[in-house]
Amino acid sequence: MKKIILIIILIFTSQSSIKADDISEFEIEGMSIGDSALDYFTKKQLNNAMEILNYKNNRYRYYFLNYSKSKTYEGIQITVKPEDKNFIIYGIDGHISYSKNIKDCYKKKKEVKKEIDNLFVANGLDDTGSHPMDKTGESKYSRTSYELDDGALVEIICYDMSKKIKKVDRFAITLKTKEFLNFLTYEAYK
């Protein structure tokens, strides 16, 4: 279990508080919210990402990449504003595929949740639902969310994706700024 925490690499800058104040205090594979994606990837790597998606009204763009330096994740997803020449990160996710057995994803989520619960004063909130990207409603998620003092979010999620939309089932650790989270909640899928 201790290895999972090291792999997730959640770092606090304040030793005296168990609850983080700011999303930028966390890292996934050494990357933090507020960093420039160009510190980790070249523009060529970004432009050749496995998947590039512009959200509604081109307010945000995510890049889904293989990250050769990753110790844990098969894919890293970073979200930036398309017009930002500095490629400042507003969201970052680490992904592990579970294409053959979604039950293993749920097992992994349960293990990680137990460890993360120990880092927070309050436990995360659990919810399930349909993935908003799949209009058929057949793709599902199971999520535990931890809201930080600054309104940002840390999540652990299992995605059980419909075969119709050609996305694999996966486990994800996500970090989102409050600004990006509000966009996803109130604008992106409406």
Side-chain angles (χ1 to χ4, degrees), residues 50-67:
M50 293 172 48
E51 184 176 351
I52 300 171
L53 177 88
N54 285 327
Y55 285 97
K56 186 178 181 178
N57 299 327
N58 293 322
R59 294 246 334 261
Y60 292 92
R61 172 183 295 150
Y62 79 66
Y63 297 90
F64 191 85
L65 307 116
N66 282 329
Y67 187 47

Side-chain angles (χ1 to χ4, degrees), residues 18-37:
I18 234 170
K19 189 172 181 186
D21 295 324
D22 188 307
I23 191 73
S24 65
E25 296 176 10
F26 293 93
E27 295 181 348
I28 293 178
E29 296 294 354
M31 293 176 250
S32 294
I33 298 295
D35 288 352
S36 170

Side-chain angles (χ1 to χ4, degrees), residues 99-136:
S99 58
K100 299 195 188 229
N101 191 348
I102 191 67
K103 289 179 183 178
D104 286 345
C105 183
Y106 295 131
K107 182 179 175 183
K108 174 82 167 175
K109 180 180 173 286
K110 185 177 180 180
E111 291 170 3
V112 173
K113 180 185 180 316
K114 184 176 178 181
E115 290 298 318
I116 293 177
D117 280 348
N118 291 328
L119 299 174
F120 291 91
V121 174
N123 288 341
L125 299 174
D126 294 315
D127 72 309
T128 58
S130 297
H131 194 295
M133 186 183 287
D134 182 357
K135 300 302 181 199
T136 70

Side-chain angles (χ1 to χ4, degrees), residues 157-186:
I157 310 168
C158 282
Y159 295 102
D160 186 0
M161 304 303 285
S162 167
K163 291 179 176 132
K164 293 178 185 176
I165 65 167
K166 300 178 183 176
K167 301 272 186 192
V168 298
D169 296 344
R170 66 192 182 282
F171 171 84
I173 301 279
T174 74
L175 308 175
K176 295 177 177 81
T177 63
K178 180 179 180 178
E179 178 185 338
F180 179 51
L181 177 62
N182 284 340
F183 170 76
L184 289 174
T185 303
Y186 301 112

